[in-house]
Amino acid sequence: MKRISMITLACLLALSAATVSLAQTRRRTTARKPRAGATTAQSAETTASTARTAATRVAEQIKSLGKFLYLYGPISKELAASEAGAGNSGGQASPAATETMQRNRAKLREVFEGYRQQMDELETLFSSNQELRKYYPRLLGVAASAAQAENAVASGRYDEGGRALIDVMNRLTDVLLEMRSG
C-alpha cells in the first residue's frame, strides 16, 4: 500500500510539472504598429507562430501522457489487486488499508480529471483559432475520450481507463503529425 501511495504521488507530481510547463510556454509580446508593406509577412509569421505554439503544446501533452501511462500500469494493477483482495476478504480489510486505497483512488481520479481538463482546453484552443481550425477535426473527441478514462477509473475499471488515455495520446500524435506535414 505504501508503494501505491508513493507511485501515485509521483504521478501527481509529474502531472503538476506538465501543467506548470504548459503555463510557462506563453511568451510576452508588445504591440507594434505594422509598416504598410509588412502586414502580409507579419500575418504569415503570426500564423506560423500560432501553429508552432500549438504544436509545442500538443507535443508536451503527448510527453506528459506517455510518462504518466508508464507509471500508471503498475499502479492500476496494484490498485485492482488490493481492491480484489479487500473484496475477497468479505469487506474485512483494515480501516487503514481501506482509507489508503480510497485516498489513492481519489488521487488517481484527480490526475485523470486534470488530463480531461487539459484536453478540453486543447479542443477549445483549436476550435476558436482560425489558423488551427483545420486541425480541429482530428483533435475533436480527445476530451470525450479523457472523460471516458476518468469515468472508468472512478468506477474501478483501471484497464479501460488506461486504454482510453492511450487513445487520447494516439489522437494527439495524429494531430501533431498533421501539423508538421501541413
Side-chain angles (χ1 to χ4, degrees), residues 4-20 64 67-68 71-72 75 103-115 118:
I4 291 173
S5 297
M6 295 304 292
I7 293 174
T8 303
L9 183 60
C11 289
L12 289 173
L13 292 174
L15 177 65
S16 298
T19 305
V20 169
S64 175
K67 288 176 187 175
F68 174 72
L71 297 172
Y72 177 70
I75 293 170
R103 190 174 42 243
N104 288 337
R105 193 179 210 185
K107 287 178 188 176
L108 203 54
R109 275 186 290 197
E110 287 176 20
V111 171
F112 275 77
E113 181 181 353
Y115 278 118
Q118 291 172 4

Side-chain angles (χ1 to χ4, degrees), residues 10-180:
C11 289
L12 289 173
L13 292 174
L15 177 65
S16 298
T19 305
V20 169
S21 70
L22 287 176
Q24 293 176 350
T25 60
R26 300 176 107 179
R27 295 185 185 139
R28 291 185 180 228
T29 58
T30 57
R32 290 186 282 169
K33 290 186 178 182
R35 290 177 283 159
T39 56
T40 306
Q42 285 180 345
S43 67
E45 185 177 312
T46 303
T47 300
S49 175
T50 302
R52 210 174 15 256
T53 302
T56 300
R57 190 165 174 190
V58 170
E60 287 180 359
Q61 285 295 325
I62 292 168
K63 287 179 189 178
S64 175
L65 278 167
K67 288 176 187 175
F68 174 72
L69 286 169
Y70 176 76
L71 297 172
Y72 177 70
I75 293 170
S76 65
K77 284 183 182 181
E78 281 195 39
L79 267 174
S82 64
E83 288 178 4
N88 289 340
S89 65
Q92 301 297 326
S94 72
T98 302
E99 182 182 327
T100 302
M101 191 170 27
Q102 289 174 347
R103 190 174 42 243
N104 288 337
R105 193 179 210 185
K107 287 178 188 176
L108 203 54
R109 275 186 290 197
E110 287 176 20
V111 171
F112 275 77
E113 181 181 353
Y115 278 118
R116 181 195 41 80
Q117 290 172 350
Q118 291 172 4
M119 295 308 114
D120 278 336
E121 291 170 6
L122 266 180
E123 280 191 8
T124 301
L125 172 69
F126 277 72
S127 68
S128 65
N129 189 306
Q130 187 66 33
E131 291 86 22
L132 301 174
R133 197 166 291 145
K134 64 182 176 182
Y135 307 113
Y136 180 64
R138 239 195 226 288
L139 187 70
L140 185 62
V142 294
S145 292
Q148 179 185 359
E150 181 182 2
N151 292 335
V153 166
S155 62
R157 298 185 322 268
Y158 302 112
D159 191 49
E160 184 181 324
R163 289 179 193 277
L165 274 188
I166 289 172
D167 178 56
V168 168
M169 193 167 79
N170 288 338
R171 287 172 155 214
L172 291 176
T173 303
D174 291 343
V175 170
L176 186 61
L177 287 172
E178 186 176 330
M179 291 178 82
R180 291 190 51 101

